[in-house]
């Protein structure tokens, strides 16, 4: 008996042991069979011969009650399959058992480890037997449908890999049943472990490529969702699969519109190396398409250069095949991009914005025919809260500026701005204008300037809209020749001044001022002051028409205040209009709050030394301002609003008289004296301390100017002094001191003439206040009495004795001074 026969007998003996009720004996029998079958045999044909002897027993062990026996049996069969030559006969025993165990309505194998070993066995069979497995395709499909969605992650992964290799092994037959595996794999693509997701995506790629291509339509949505995956390996795998389909998919021409958006999205991956890999795959697909369609695009290949001088700096130009593919297919997927740009999910909006940008990059001039569809969505997306969305929409708008004629995109954007300007449409237009080839926007510059100069657009107080208006003007200045810029100088000046006047943002104000300084250069002027002189007048004429309708929130009011405060040369060149506006603003019926704002603006003007110094006719300006503007608010009226206006007017009058004295040889005309004196004498008794103080200061300037002009009469003094003396009893020490200053001005050289009763009233009243508790007031009264006593020291001395006052020192000083004055008069 030879050794083969002996081994056959031994194997039968061990196979009989597999029938034992003791699981330990069964396990030992399996170990012994493995030893005899594999470990003690080196010839693969011998192993195959002995395996056929024991295979039905081993296969029966797959359903053993003991998990360890089932596990050992499956492992042993796997080892045999890997080592023996291919033999279709042994598969006929294996598959019925595996299908019953794993491919039924319910999986009978409870152990995760055994299920994994069974799938590994099936995978090894695929790798070894390949095309021979046609007859077992149904078994594979039924088993894989279950194992792909197995709860155990390793089983899922192995099943996906097995399905992929099965599709490669028998592609001619696999395509008939490939659709059965699509739904299970799609479920696995959402697994929490990224390695499982990667395996599912790779499997899907091979199954569809080697199976029924119609499944592309079923999986593109799921693949698109995986492009949002947080794991970069998953996104990279999607790009690789889509790139492979673009090159190898048999029916790829029917699915360009589904695959191209996935590929273009991968080009924008946040990891640069992965984006570069995607670009390589995409350009290979484009080059292959050119090779396959060379006759159709022969003219373009012959006459269109790959590099063009006008192409945007820093933007990668795809090859002609990639461009042609996008240009032919974009009409099919652009509507989806438009819808998703305003999706409620942030990630979707970001990817859609990226895809739009890349599509425009590929479409180049051909995007023109779709511009009307994408622009409305771009306006909304431009206003998105997510910066990534906005950045990509900005890039898209810039590319539109490069590739689309201004006549076309302006024809779409400008009507939208006219219907309702907002941050979105202004921003899109600004980006497009800024990056249009130099000089191309010249035909549209007048229309653009006229539109943004409209009140409903440039009156905005929204910072973002102001920012985009500035960007738009900056783009126009950059793009248009100087000779054309001069034609819209006024409109651009208006918008820039409006923004500076209305905005509360210092950065915006600073940027607007910077652009204004560039504007004069583009307009062919020598300096910014010349620009102010040339353009301010027309702007003020626009403002003038609305004065009677101003409220506290009217933009014209704020702009008018800005002009008065900042544009000195413009004010000087338009002084007549400004005075007309100021007069109109003081009329009855104007909102008191508006009047108050203007009065304080006037006060700022009067303190602006630079403005006053460059005025051509200072006297005219001050006289009109004081006599025709401020006078209207000095009349007493009841109410708190009128009270505030009187205070502001009195402050302006005080500053105005000060400036008038300073720049008009310290003289006041008789008409002005007669005009203001009654009003001021009334205001010094106002209930508001500040009003009384400003009025006294004005009165002091008025008297000083009248004395210099030699027009202060006895009648004026007789009227003035009693009123001023009453203020010595004021509750405010500041007001009392101001009153004393007026008396000193009246009686300083040249001394004013007054009636005897006024002199007596002065002496008596001032002597009373010599005993004031406030030392500063006592000393000021003393100095005032000295000035007053010069005219008639004897009379005043007769009213004083040493013990007339509590402070003997004060009495002595005054008596000594008066005696000195009398002595001087006698000697002279």
């Amino acid at each position: 008996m030879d050794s083969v026969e002996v081994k056959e007998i031994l194997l039968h003996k061990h196979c009989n042991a597999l029938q034992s009720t003791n699981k330990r004996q069964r396990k030992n029998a399996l170990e012994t069979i493995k030893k005899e079958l594999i470990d003690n045999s080196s010839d693969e044909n011998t192993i195959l011969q002995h395996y056929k002897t024991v295979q039905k027993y081993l296969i029966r062990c797959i359903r053993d009650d003991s998990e360890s026996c089932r596990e050992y049996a499956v492992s042993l069969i796997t080892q045999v399959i890997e080592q023996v030559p291919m033999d279709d006969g042994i598969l006929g025993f294996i598959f019925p058992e595996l299908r019953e165990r794993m491919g039924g309505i319910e999986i009978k194998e409870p152990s995760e480890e055994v299920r994994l070993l069974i799938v590994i066995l099936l995978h090894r069979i695929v790798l070894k037997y390949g095309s021979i497995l046609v007859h077992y395709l149904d078994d594979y499909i039924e088993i894989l449908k279950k194992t792909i969605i197995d709860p155990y992650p390793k089983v899922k992964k192995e099943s996906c890999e097995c399905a992929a290799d099965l599709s490669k092994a028998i592609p001619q037959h696999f395509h008939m049943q490939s659709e059965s595996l699509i739904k299970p794999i799609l479920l696995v693509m959402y697994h929490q472990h990224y390695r499982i997701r990667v395996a599912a995506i790779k499997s899907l790629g091979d199954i569809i490529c080697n199976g029924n291509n119609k499944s592309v339509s079923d999986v593109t949505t799921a693949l698109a969702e995986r492009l949002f995956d947080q794991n970069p390996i998953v996104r990279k795998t999607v790009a690789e699969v889509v790139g492979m389909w673009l090159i190898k998919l048999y029916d790829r021409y029917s699915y360009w519109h589904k695959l191209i958006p996935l590929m273009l999205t991968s080009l924008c991956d946040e990891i640069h190396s992965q984006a570069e890999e995607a670009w390589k795959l995409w350009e290979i697909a484009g080059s292959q398409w050119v090779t396959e369609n060379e006759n159709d695009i022969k003219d373009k290949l012959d006459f269109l250069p790959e590099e063009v001088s006008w192409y945007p700096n820093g933007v990668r130009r795809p090859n002609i095949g990639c461009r042609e593919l996008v240009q032919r297919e974009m009409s099919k997927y652009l509507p989806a991009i438009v819808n998703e740009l305003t999706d409620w999910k942030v990630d979707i909006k970001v990817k859609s914005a990226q895809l739009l940008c890349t599509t425009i990059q590929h479409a180049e001039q051909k995007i023109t025919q779709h511009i009307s569809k994408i622009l409305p969505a771009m306006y909304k997306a431009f206003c998105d809260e997510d910066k990534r969305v906005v950045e990509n929409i900005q890039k898209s708008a810039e590319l539109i500026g490069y590739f689309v004629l201004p006549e076309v995109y302006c024809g779409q954007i400008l009507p939208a701005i006219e219907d309702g300007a907002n941050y979105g449409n202004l921003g899109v237009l600004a980006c497009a204008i800024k990056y249009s080839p130099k000089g191309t926007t010249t035909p549209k510059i007048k229309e653009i300037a006229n539109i943004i100069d409209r009140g409903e657009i440039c009156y905005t107080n929204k910072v973002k809209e102001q920012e985009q208006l500035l960007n738009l003007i900056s783009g126009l200045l950059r793009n248009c020749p100087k000779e054309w810029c001069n034609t819209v100088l006024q409109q651009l000046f208006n918008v820039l001044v409006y923004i500076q006047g209305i905005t509360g943002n210092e950065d915006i104000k600073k940027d607007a001022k910077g652009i204004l300084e560039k504007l004069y250069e583009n307009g062919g002027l020598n300096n910014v002051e010349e620009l102010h002189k040339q353009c301010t007048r027309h702007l003020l004429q626009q403002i003038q028409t609305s004065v009677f309708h101003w409220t506290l929130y009217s933009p014209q009011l704020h702009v008018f205040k800005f002009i008065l405060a900042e544009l000195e040369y413009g004010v000087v060149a338009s002084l007549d209009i400004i005075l007309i506006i100021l007069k109109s603003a003081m009329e009855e019926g104007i909102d008191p709050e508006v009047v108050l704002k203007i009065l304080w603006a006037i006060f700022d003007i009067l303190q602006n030394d630079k403005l006053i110094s460059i005025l051509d006719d200072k006297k005219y300006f001050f006289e009109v301002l004081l006599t025709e503007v401020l006078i209207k608010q000095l009349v007493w009226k009841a109410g708190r609003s009128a009270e505030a206006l009187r205070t502001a007017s009195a402050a302006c009058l005080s500053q105005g008289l000060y400036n008038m004295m300073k720049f008009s040889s310290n003289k006041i005309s008789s008409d002005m004296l007669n005009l203001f004196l009654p009003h001021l004498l009334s205001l010094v008794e106002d209930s508001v301390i500040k009003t009384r103080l400003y009025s006294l200061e004005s009165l002091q300037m008025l008297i000083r100017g009248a004395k210099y002009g030699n027009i202060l009469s006895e009648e004026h003094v007789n009227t003035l002094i009693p009123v001023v003396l009453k203020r010595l009893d004021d509750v405010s020490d500041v007001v009392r001191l101001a009153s004393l200053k007026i008396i000193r001005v009246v009686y300083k050289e040249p001394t004013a003439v007054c009636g005897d009763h006024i002199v007596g009233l002065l002496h008596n009243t001032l002597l009373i206040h010599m005993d004031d508790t406030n030392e500063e007031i006592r000393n000021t009264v003393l100095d005032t009495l000295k000035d007053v006593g010069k005219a008639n020291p004897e009379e005043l001395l007769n009213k004083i004795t040493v013990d007339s006052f509590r402070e003997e020192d004060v009495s002595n000083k005054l008596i000594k001074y008066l005696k000195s004055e009398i002595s001087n008069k006698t000697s002279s």
Side-chain angles (χ1 to χ4, degrees):
M1 185 178 295
D2 59 16
S3 59
V4 174
E5 293 176 342
V6 171
K7 183 169 287 191
E8 288 283 341
I9 295 170
L10 290 173
L11 288 172
H12 277 293
K13 178 182 176 182
H14 298 314
C15 287
N16 290 333
L18 292 176
Q19 312 299 318
S20 173
T21 57
N22 188 310
K23 67 179 180 180
R24 183 62 196 166
Q25 289 182 357
R26 298 199 299 275
K27 178 70 179 296
N28 290 336
L30 285 169
E31 292 174 349
T32 306
I33 289 173
K34 176 180 180 294
K35 184 176 180 182
E36 294 294 337
L37 191 64
I38 295 177
D39 296 346
N40 294 337
S41 298
S42 58
D43 182 63
E44 59 184 25
N45 291 317
T46 304
I47 295 173
L48 177 60
Q49 179 183 349
H50 292 323
Y51 171 74
K52 288 183 176 180
T53 302
V54 299
Q55 69 175 341
K56 61 181 180 180
Y57 300 101
L58 290 178
I59 291 171
R60 196 177 299 141
C61 287
I62 295 176
R63 68 180 74 169
D64 195 280
D65 293 337
S66 170
E67 180 181 333
S68 61
C69 291
R70 298 197 305 275
E71 184 177 343
Y72 204 90
V74 175
S75 296
L76 179 55
I77 294 172
T78 303
Q79 285 183 282
V80 171
I81 291 294
E82 289 176 336
Q83 294 190 24
V84 302
M86 288 194 299
D87 189 324
D88 192 18
I90 64 176
L91 300 181
F93 286 91
I94 295 174
F95 275 97
E97 185 63 36
L98 294 184
R99 177 163 181 172
E100 181 184 353
R101 195 76 182 161
M102 301 286 288
I105 297 175
E106 293 184 3
I107 295 179
K108 295 181 179 180
E109 178 53 62
S111 170
E112 292 179 341
E113 286 75 13
V114 177
R115 293 201 301 273
L116 176 60
L117 290 172
I118 290 174
V119 176
I120 291 173
L121 170 59
L122 289 170
H123 196 179
R124 298 296 186 275
I125 292 173
V126 169
L127 294 174
K128 184 154 190 172
Y129 284 81
S131 59
I132 298 175
L133 298 175
V134 172
H135 303 297
Y136 304 102
L137 179 59
D138 288 344
D139 296 326
Y140 263 105
I141 295 298
E142 291 303 316
I143 293 172
L144 290 173
K145 280 162 58 178
K146 304 296 188 305
T147 58
I148 285 172
I149 58 174
D150 193 276
Y152 189 33
K154 289 184 178 180
V155 174
K156 292 177 186 287
K157 184 173 182 293
E158 190 69 30
S159 300
C160 289
E161 293 172 354
C162 178
D165 287 331
L166 180 65
S167 72
K168 297 174 186 175
I170 47 174
Q172 298 87 352
H173 299 84
F174 182 79
H175 79 278
M176 294 184 290
Q177 298 200 47
S178 64
E179 292 180 84
S180 303
L181 298 179
I182 299 301
K183 188 175 180 180
I185 292 178
L186 288 177
L187 295 175
V188 179
M189 282 176 64
Y190 298 93
H191 196 272
Q192 60 182 346
H193 296 163
Y194 83 90
R195 288 187 177 87
I196 308 301
R197 300 198 297 275
V198 168
I201 294 168
K202 287 182 177 178
S203 175
L204 201 62
D206 289 327
I207 288 172
I208 292 178
C209 191
N210 299 304
N212 191 337
N213 292 177
K214 291 181 180 179
S215 298
V216 169
S217 300
D218 300 327
V219 305
T220 48
T221 300
L223 288 174
E225 291 177 359
R226 288 306 93 209
L227 289 174
F228 298 100
D229 203 292
Q230 296 298 312
N231 192 289
I233 298 177
V234 176
R235 301 196 302 273
K236 180 182 179 183
T237 305
V238 173
E240 290 171 348
V241 166
V242 174
M244 181 262 289
W245 284 350
L246 288 170
I247 298 168
K248 297 181 179 180
L249 198 68
Y250 179 76
D251 201 17
R252 58 187 178 276
Y253 277 61
S254 300
Y255 301 104
W256 288 131
H257 65 288
K258 300 238 179 228
L259 301 178
I260 288 173
L262 298 177
M263 198 72 237
L264 295 185
T265 304
S266 298
L267 302 182
C268 303
D269 196 276
E270 58 191 31
I271 297 179
H272 179 71
S273 60
Q274 290 191 185
E276 282 298 313
E277 288 296 320
W279 268 104
K280 290 178 183 178
L281 293 170
W282 173 229
E283 294 199 325
I284 290 172
S287 299
Q288 179 178 299
W289 184 88
V290 170
T291 303
E292 294 169 352
N293 299 271
E294 189 171 355
N295 292 333
D296 294 342
I297 59 170
K298 192 173 188 313
D299 290 343
K300 293 183 179 180
L301 291 173
D302 291 341
F303 299 107
L304 287 182
E306 275 298 309
E307 295 184 4
V308 287
S309 59
W310 50 262
Y311 206 76
N313 293 328
V315 178
R316 181 175 190 168
R317 194 183 193 201
N319 64 40
I320 188 171
C322 298
R323 300 198 304 272
E324 281 290 320
L325 281 172
V326 171
Q327 291 167 9
R328 293 176 181 222
E329 301 296 329
M330 63 182 172
S331 61
K332 298 174 183 175
Y333 66 82
L334 272 176
I337 295 178
V338 169
N339 291 333
E340 292 176 352
L341 276 176
T342 54
D343 196 273
W344 65 275
K345 293 182 180 177
V346 174
D347 288 343
I348 291 178
K349 289 189 290 187
V350 172
K351 291 295 182 184
S352 298
Q354 291 174 342
L355 180 54
L356 176 63
C357 184
T358 314
T359 298
I360 296 173
Q361 177 184 352
H362 284 74
E364 296 187 353
Q365 291 90 343
K366 293 294 180 65
I367 197 64
T368 302
Q369 58 191 311
H370 303 286
I371 201 84
S372 61
K373 299 175 184 176
I374 63 175
L375 281 175
M378 288 176 65
Y379 305 153
K380 295 179 181 178
F382 202 96
C383 303
D384 198 87
E385 295 179 356
D386 193 289
K387 291 183 179 179
R388 296 170 296 173
V389 175
V390 177
E391 287 173 359
N392 281 284
I393 296 300
Q394 286 176 334
K395 291 178 183 177
S396 299
E398 291 167 6
L399 291 172
I400 287 174
Y402 274 115
F403 299 132
V404 181
L405 292 173
E407 290 87 344
V408 177
Y409 66 72
C410 285
Q412 295 292 326
I413 303 175
L414 291 180
I417 293 176
E418 289 181 286
D419 290 341
N422 57 53
Y423 170 56
N425 48 39
L426 289 172
V428 170
L429 179 61
C431 290
I433 290 288
K434 185 176 181 181
Y435 288 93
S436 291
K438 191 172 180 63
T440 56
T441 58
T442 301
K444 303 299 291 185
I445 186 172
K446 283 188 177 180
E447 184 180 355
I448 295 170
N450 288 333
I451 289 175
I452 63 174
D453 186 31
R454 295 179 184 176
E456 62 270 23
I457 296 173
C458 62
Y459 289 169
T460 179
N461 58 3
K462 297 177 181 176
V463 172
K464 287 188 175 182
E465 291 182 9
Q466 293 170 345
E467 183 181 30
Q468 294 310 320
L469 280 171
L470 294 181
N471 288 339
L472 177 54
I473 294 175
S474 180
L476 288 173
L477 295 180
R478 170 189 172 275
N479 194 281
C480 292
K482 290 186 177 181
E483 59 271 17
W484 275 91
C485 183
N486 192 49
T487 63
V488 293
L489 198 65
Q490 183 66 57
Q491 293 93 321
L492 300 185
F493 174 84
N494 292 351
V495 178
L496 291 170
V497 172
Y498 268 114
I499 290 174
Q500 290 184 81
I502 295 170
T503 188
N505 186 295
E506 289 301 319
D507 291 334
I508 293 290
K509 188 174 290 188
K510 182 179 178 182
D511 292 342
K513 186 176 181 180
I515 297 173
L516 199 64
E517 291 175 353
K518 293 180 182 177
L519 185 61
Y520 84 80
E521 296 177 2
N522 287 62
L525 302 176
N526 296 321
N527 50 53
V528 72
E529 288 81 9
E530 190 173 339
L531 175 66
H532 293 173
K533 290 178 182 179
Q534 180 173 319
C535 297
T536 304
R537 186 177 189 84
H538 186 272
L539 177 56
L540 286 168
Q541 287 172 342
Q542 291 182 358
I543 292 173
Q544 181 186 353
T545 60
S546 63
V547 175
F548 293 104
H549 305 289
W550 284 0
T551 68
L552 196 60
Y553 304 102
S554 296
Q556 296 94 332
L557 170 61
H558 297 285
V559 174
F560 181 60
K561 287 173 55 186
F562 172 78
I563 292 173
L564 297 182
E566 300 290 339
L567 309 185
E568 293 91 355
Y569 288 92
V571 170
V572 171
S574 314
L575 202 57
D576 54 336
I577 299 177
I578 288 175
L579 289 171
I580 291 172
I581 293 174
L582 291 175
K583 291 177 193 176
S584 301
M586 299 298 132
E587 295 291 340
E588 290 287 339
I590 303 294
D591 186 345
E593 291 183 320
V594 171
V595 178
L596 187 62
K597 288 280 186 183
I598 294 175
L599 286 172
W600 288 122
I602 293 172
F603 186 76
D604 291 337
I605 290 177
L606 295 170
Q607 288 187 315
N608 189 336
D609 292 337
K610 180 182 178 182
L611 171 60
I612 295 172
S613 65
I614 61 176
L615 283 172
D616 296 326
D617 192 344
K618 300 177 178 61
K619 183 178 179 182
Y620 167 78
F621 171 72
F622 288 124
E623 285 188 356
V624 174
L625 186 65
L626 299 180
T627 61
E628 298 183 29
V629 178
L630 296 178
I631 193 69
K632 297 179 181 180
Q633 299 302 327
L634 295 177
V635 180
W636 188 92
K637 295 176 186 176
R640 298 188 66 181
S641 296
E643 189 177 82
L645 294 179
R646 287 197 302 275
T647 303
S649 299
C652 292
L653 182 60
S654 173
Q655 186 67 36
L657 288 171
Y658 170 79
N659 286 336
M660 193 168 185
M661 295 284 291
K662 182 177 179 182
F663 295 103
S664 302
S665 304
N666 292 328
K667 292 182 180 180
I668 294 291
S669 68
S670 178
D671 291 338
M672 286 191 70
L673 177 63
N674 294 328
L675 177 65
F676 283 107
L677 188 59
H679 291 288
L680 291 175
L681 292 178
S682 174
L683 288 176
V684 295
E685 297 182 347
D686 197 89
S687 58
V688 179
I689 293 175
K690 282 190 175 181
T691 304
R692 299 199 299 271
L693 180 60
Y694 288 136
S695 300
L696 289 169
E697 289 176 353
S698 299
L699 200 55
Q700 180 184 336
M701 297 296 171
L702 195 68
I703 294 167
R704 181 178 287 124
K707 288 185 69 176
Y708 274 107
N710 198 26
I711 59 173
L712 187 65
S713 67
E714 180 178 351
E715 183 182 353
H716 292 140
V717 177
N718 291 341
T719 305
L720 168 71
I721 293 299
V723 178
V724 174
L725 286 175
K726 289 180 182 179
R727 290 301 97 211
L728 293 178
D729 295 321
D730 200 278
V731 294
S732 169
D733 288 343
V734 177
V735 172
R736 296 168 70 194
L737 289 169
S739 302
L740 291 169
K741 285 182 182 178
I742 292 177
I743 298 172
R744 294 189 68 187
V745 169
V746 171
Y747 283 95
K748 277 191 175 181
E749 295 297 336
T751 304
V753 179
C754 60
D756 293 338
H757 69 286
I758 296 299
V759 175
L761 179 62
L762 265 172
H763 291 171
N764 296 336
T765 305
L766 290 174
L767 288 172
I768 292 172
H769 290 281
M770 280 283 288
D771 266 342
D772 198 273
T773 57
N774 186 318
E775 182 180 358
E776 184 181 3
I777 291 179
R778 287 200 307 271
N779 292 331
T780 306
V781 170
L782 175 60
D783 293 337
T784 306
L785 278 169
K786 289 178 181 180
D787 291 334
V788 172
K790 285 181 181 180
N792 197 342
E794 297 87 353
E795 182 180 344
L796 180 57
L797 184 60
N798 292 334
K799 296 180 180 181
I800 304 171
T801 61
V802 176
D803 56 352
S804 297
F805 309 101
R806 283 177 293 185
E807 296 288 340
E808 291 186 6
D809 184 50
V810 175
S811 301
N812 292 329
K813 286 181 180 178
L814 182 57
I815 292 170
K816 184 178 179 181
Y817 174 80
L818 292 173
K819 286 180 178 180
S820 172
E821 285 295 314
I822 294 170
S823 174
N824 290 337
K825 276 188 176 185
T826 303
S827 61
S828 61

